[in-house]
Amino acid sequence: MAPAAPNPASASPSGLTVRKLEIDLSQGFDRHWYGGDAFLSQYHNALSMSFPVGEQSFIDAVRDCAKLLPQTPEHALLHEAVAQFIGQEATHRHIHGLYNTHLETQGLVNRWQHWATARIDYAKKRGAQPLHFLAVTAAYEHLTAVLADYLLRHNDTLDSADPRMQTLWRWHAAEETEHRAVAYDLYHAVQGNYAWRIRWYIYAVLVFTLDSGRQTLLNLWHDGTLFKPGTWWSAAKFFWGRKGAMWYTMGPLLAYFRRDFHPDQEAFAAPEQQTRGLARRWFKENADRFRVVR
């Protein structure tokens, strides 16, 4: 790949914190844990189903490409951020594995993990280079960061959910915000270029849209709520209502196409209004809900 164009907005990676979430999922949770709403429960369940396989692939991609980066003082902070990124993603993979185990007891079938695994295996058999996997990782990290931004800015939307699930999803969103630039910065540091960054982003957006949609439909089918009018009304409100996700996420999603894009760019000047500021506030106010690992 040709070297990427200089990115003036790039910031040096900051230190991250690996945390162990202190919630107990051993007793399970209600089928419609999101305030009794079938669609919102099953949509978030679908997202959870993708995380163990997806986050392991992100860990592998970042670890493999970090080996291409010299161990020099210039790259010391990025190497540190990579190690902490891996730690955070490993904790996400673990907690969502427990989450998904309970979904199986509710009769839900996780197809997403198999779709993702098949694509990863196919790419490896075709000899895909580590830099391509890293470009895909950077793309998915932007998608999850945009969703995390929406959740943190509309924090009250989770208020009707099971308290443990409120904690789980807000913690995950805060950490996704915290490490959102690591894969992107590593991609530029190892000379990833703009053209492949965009090609893999388009791929990631299309695959995520397809997989999240069909897994949610499968969940609703097994749940017996697929054909209930309330289910579709809830979906319409979530995506297109007054606080609909599409209105708030479209701009940040399209921003990835800019040559000078960087994940840490935000429209708000005041630090407390930035997503990272919201994440830091959540960590401060909920320090009793997790344990710092490192």
Side-chain angles (χ1 to χ4, degrees), residues 1-20:
M1 291 186 179
N7 190 343
S10 294
S12 297
S14 58
L16 307 176
T17 301
V18 180
R19 308 169 183 86
K20 182 180 184 298

Side-chain angles (χ1 to χ4, degrees), residues 21 34 44 92 96 148 151-177 278-280 282-283 286 289:
L21 196 59
Y34 203 124
H44 285 79
H92 297 177
H96 282 281
L151 190 153
L152 291 172
R153 292 190 187 282
H154 301 85
N155 196 34
D156 58 329
T157 59
L158 267 172
D159 286 349
S160 64
D162 180 314
R164 294 168 301 164
M165 305 303 273
Q166 291 183 37
T167 298
L168 186 154
W169 283 103
R170 287 167 176 158
W171 159 78
H172 195 152
E175 289 203 342
E176 287 296 328
T177 295
L278 298 175
R280 284 193 294 269
W282 188 89
F283 289 135
N286 296 274
R289 302 188 185 190

